[in-house]
């Protein structure tokens, strides 16, 4: 079978754990050359290296210089970026009455500003190459809102408006920009919830279960591939039917 991402340079922010790590694995499976940007190296980095060409660049997605430096390194080394997946994300949950300004700003900085700086860093190169795919990982919370997550929802809803605008801006250069809105996916981010809460949440999902990171990664590969060549500016919910 032909490899979907053969010879593609794929950059994943936050690829050390969770959904991002699964995206790195799937991209390697599809023969991509992968760079992942996170503060820590994946625990199984050596194992990843046995699966293909993969490079970790220590990056803080909340720091403009750190992000710019990472992309300068990638563009100098690889010469281009074919696929950018903005996946790094954090939560600082709390009711608004008790939410510190720093909790609001930190979430916006990593989840939204970080994605903006990453997109800006490769926009010229992608436009010049007249092709490329950007996939931004939002959340169903960006579509529906969620009490206790005003900061997170603002960042994820912001990412949707940002992506649709960027899709319009870059469409004449054949650069596609799409959003994935995962529902409730099993990772470190959701492991902090009690088993009881997770069980109750699963019962509210039409497919009656929590999603797997690989199910989001599968969608990323599709949107990054030529199979999605006529899809841009869309939000695809991978949520077991939560937002239908
Ligand atoms: P996770 O398990 O907590 O992993 C988060 C990833 O982001 C890690 O690789 C982490 O790497 C990286 N990251 C966090 N802060 C960073 C920073 N300042 N600089 C660089 N990298 C940073 O989360 P996840 O569940 O996989 O979530 C991935 C994305 O999906 C996020 O955008 C999240 O909002 C979204 N999402 C998740 C769910 C879910 O149910 N899990 C649902 C909807 C949307 P380091 O710690 O090594 O830096």
């Amino acid at each position: 079978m032909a490899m979907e991402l053969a010879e593609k340079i794929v950059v994943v922010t936050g690829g050390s754990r969770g959904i991002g790590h699964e995206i790195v694995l799937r991209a390697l499976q599809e023969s991509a050359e992968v760079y992942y940007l996170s503060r820590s190296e994946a625990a199984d980095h050596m194992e990843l290296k046995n699966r293909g060409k993969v490079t970790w660049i220590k990056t803080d997605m909340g720091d403009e210089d750190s992000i710019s430096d990472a992309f300068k390194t990638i563009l100098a080394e690889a010469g281009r970026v074919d696929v950018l997946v903005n996946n790094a994300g954090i939560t600082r949950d709390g009711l608004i009455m008790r939410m510190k300004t720093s909790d609001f700003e930190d979430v916006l900085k990593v989840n939204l500003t970080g994605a903006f700086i990453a997109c800006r860093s490769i926009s010229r190169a992608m436009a010049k190459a007249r092709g490329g795919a950007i996939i931004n990982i939002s959340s169903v919370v960006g579509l529906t809102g969620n009490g206790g997550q005003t900061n997170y929802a603002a960042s994820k809803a912001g990412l949707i408006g940002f992506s649709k605008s960027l899709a319009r801006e870059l469409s004449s250069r054949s650069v596609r920009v799409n959003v994935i809105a995962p529902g409730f996916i099993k990772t470190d981010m959701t492991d902090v919830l009690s088993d009881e809460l997770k069980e109750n949440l699963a019962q509210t999902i039409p497919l009656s279960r929590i999603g797997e990171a690989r199910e989001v990664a599968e969608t990323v590969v599709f949107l990054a591939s030529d199979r999605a060549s006529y899809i841009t500016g869309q939000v695809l919910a991978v949520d077991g039917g939560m937002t239908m």
Side-chain angles (χ1 to χ4, degrees):
M1 207 177 89
M3 293 288 126
E4 298 244 55
L5 303 176
E7 285 166 41
K8 302 267 190 214
I9 308 293
V10 175
V11 179
V12 182
T13 72
S16 57
R17 292 180 280 119
I19 293 171
H21 184 262
E22 209 60 37
I23 296 168
V24 171
L25 273 171
R26 277 298 283 120
L28 287 173
Q29 250 174 32
E30 296 298 334
S31 296
E33 181 178 338
V34 182
Y35 288 84
Y36 68 94
L37 316 182
S38 47
R39 293 163 304 175
S40 53
E41 194 176 59
D44 63 345
H45 183 75
M46 290 320 286
E47 223 171 281
L48 290 176
K49 272 190 138 9
N50 289 334
R51 290 171 186 253
K53 211 164 171 201
V54 59
T55 307
W56 169 59
I57 302 181
K58 186 177 172 66
T59 312
D60 180 355
M61 289 303 295
D63 181 282
E64 175 157 12
D65 290 342
S66 175
I67 305 169
S68 298
D69 288 350
F71 281 95
K72 271 185 207 145
T73 302
I74 295 167
L75 288 171
E77 247 179 59
R80 63 181 206 283
V81 172
D82 300 301
V83 177
L84 167 64
V85 186
N86 280 302
N87 158 84
I90 58 167
T91 52
R92 295 275 184 277
D93 297 353
L95 298 175
I96 195 161
M97 287 174 226
R98 290 199 289 267
M99 188 177 285
K100 294 194 207 102
T101 307
S102 60
D103 291 335
F104 193 87
E105 287 180 345
D106 288 353
V107 169
L108 266 287
K109 201 189 278 179
V110 174
N111 298 7
L112 185 56
T113 311
F116 153 69
I117 296 165
C119 289
R120 189 180 60 189
S121 303
I122 51 91
S123 58
R124 199 179 295 275
M126 272 195 182
K128 206 167 149 210
R130 297 196 167 266
I134 296 172
I135 296 138
N136 292 328
I137 308 295
S138 175
S139 164
V140 290
V141 167
L143 296 168
T144 63
N146 192 25
Q149 289 198 307
T150 49
N151 50 359
Y152 184 73
S155 73
K156 295 301 187 181
L159 204 49
I160 292 173
F162 168 78
S163 303
K164 289 187 178 192
S165 303
L166 188 61
R168 287 183 187 275
E169 239 177 81
L170 297 179
S171 56
S172 63
R173 304 301 178 103
S174 304
V175 176
R176 298 181 296 104
V177 185
N178 289 292
V179 176
I180 294 176
F184 192 54
I185 308 294
K186 189 177 163 21
T187 66
D188 289 353
M189 192 178 265
T190 48
D191 273 353
V192 294
L193 304 174
S194 70
D195 287 344
E196 192 189 350
L197 187 61
K198 280 189 271 198
E199 188 49 41
N200 290 343
L201 267 165
Q203 293 317 313
T204 66
I205 299 168
L207 285 181
S208 310
R209 66 174 176 86
I210 291 168
E212 301 285 338
R214 64 171 173 77
E215 294 175 298
V216 179
E218 208 57 57
T219 313
V220 169
V221 169
F222 166 65
L223 286 174
S225 76
D226 289 342
R227 281 188 293 154
S229 54
Y230 204 50
I231 303 178
T232 195
Q234 300 305 307
V235 182
L236 188 45
V238 179
D239 66 354
M242 271 173 94
T243 54
M244 74 168 101

